[in-house]
Amino acid sequence: MNWTPQKVVLTGMVAYVIVSVFVVMGAVDPMNTLVYEWLQPLPDRVFAYVTELGSAQVIVGLSVLGLLFWLWRGERVEAWRLVLVGVGTLLLTQVLKLVYGIDRPLIDASLDATTYSFPSGHSSGSLALYGLMAYVLYKRRESKLAIIVLVCLVLAVSLSRVILNVHYFSDVIGGWLVALTVIALSEWIIRRKMN
């Protein structure tokens, strides 16, 4: 199957709706428990630091630095896309949290865990920033090592939320789907403007 940005947007939206229905029905509880128990042996002290790489402050700050970097390289489209996707994903995630109003497994202000649970803002924000950067590098056939590091960052930040017990794994999946859809939408818009 040829995955166009339009197909990814549509698939991401449908998948998000399906996941959210399962979340609201409580059908994801066994999966959430299984993943939490599987990740529990990992050192939560380390992941308390890792999780900060997905905080709104870090995502916005790095998006602005990325904006300046891409502008310096003369790539205005990627510069503005990075900021719009990063900040836009964070805002959309906060709106969706209010729509669903699902409580977290644990409220902890020190871990930036005071709002509702679904979808995870750290997961959506990290995929929006680090994932978009990895996608751009992949598209340009640039540094494979940087792509691997960026993908590992997305996974580490996202799973840190489950390890620290401030999110369910279903929240992480929801966050990923939000960011994936926004990234694909940005690619769709860029390709349409270039044609």
Side-chain angles (χ1 to χ4, degrees):
M1 181 178 193
N2 183 18
W3 284 99
T4 63
Q6 299 93 314
K7 288 178 183 173
V8 176
V9 169
L10 183 61
T11 304
M13 289 171 60
V14 169
Y16 181 83
V17 169
I18 291 169
V19 168
S20 66
V21 168
F22 282 125
V23 166
V24 170
M25 291 171 52
V28 292
D29 294 347
M31 176 193 67
N32 288 334
T33 301
L34 180 70
V35 173
Y36 176 73
E37 288 173 356
W38 181 64
L39 293 174
Q40 208 45 50
L42 294 172
D44 58 352
R45 239 183 200 163
V46 172
F47 284 96
Y49 293 104
V50 171
T51 204
E52 288 306 313
L53 295 172
S55 68
Q57 297 89 337
V58 170
I59 297 299
V60 171
L62 290 178
S63 294
V64 171
L65 285 177
L67 166 78
L68 297 174
F69 173 74
W70 287 113
L71 287 174
W72 175 72
R73 284 185 61 168
E75 302 195 41
R76 292 177 47 211
V77 171
E78 293 302 342
W80 289 107
R81 169 159 73 157
L82 190 65
V83 172
L84 292 172
V85 167
V87 175
T89 299
L90 289 175
L91 292 173
L92 177 58
T93 302
Q94 292 308 311
V95 169
L96 290 169
K97 283 176 181 285
L98 294 173
V99 168
Y100 292 96
I102 295 172
D103 292 328
R104 292 175 180 270
L106 174 72
I107 300 289
D108 189 338
S110 69
L111 296 172
D112 196 19
T114 55
T115 60
Y116 289 118
S117 195
F118 181 80
S120 165
H122 280 66
S123 300
S124 65
S126 63
L127 181 56
L129 177 66
Y130 309 125
L132 176 58
M133 289 166 45
Y135 173 70
V136 170
L137 292 175
Y138 172 79
K139 228 171 53 165
R140 296 172 178 203
R141 301 185 192 286
E142 293 183 25
S143 178
K144 287 183 181 175
L145 178 61
I147 293 168
I148 291 168
V149 168
L150 289 165
V151 169
C152 288
L153 256 177
V154 172
L155 291 172
V157 169
S158 299
L159 295 179
S160 74
R161 306 307 280 170
V162 178
I163 293 164
L164 297 168
N165 198 32
V166 292
H167 271 296
Y168 301 106
F169 185 60
S170 54
D171 303 336
V172 170
I173 294 171
W176 285 343
L177 289 170
V178 169
L180 179 67
T181 304
V182 173
I183 291 170
L185 181 62
S186 73
E187 183 69 12
W188 184 6
I189 292 167
I190 287 170
R191 289 188 189 183
R192 282 190 67 182
K193 291 202 172 205
M194 293 174 101
N195 290 335

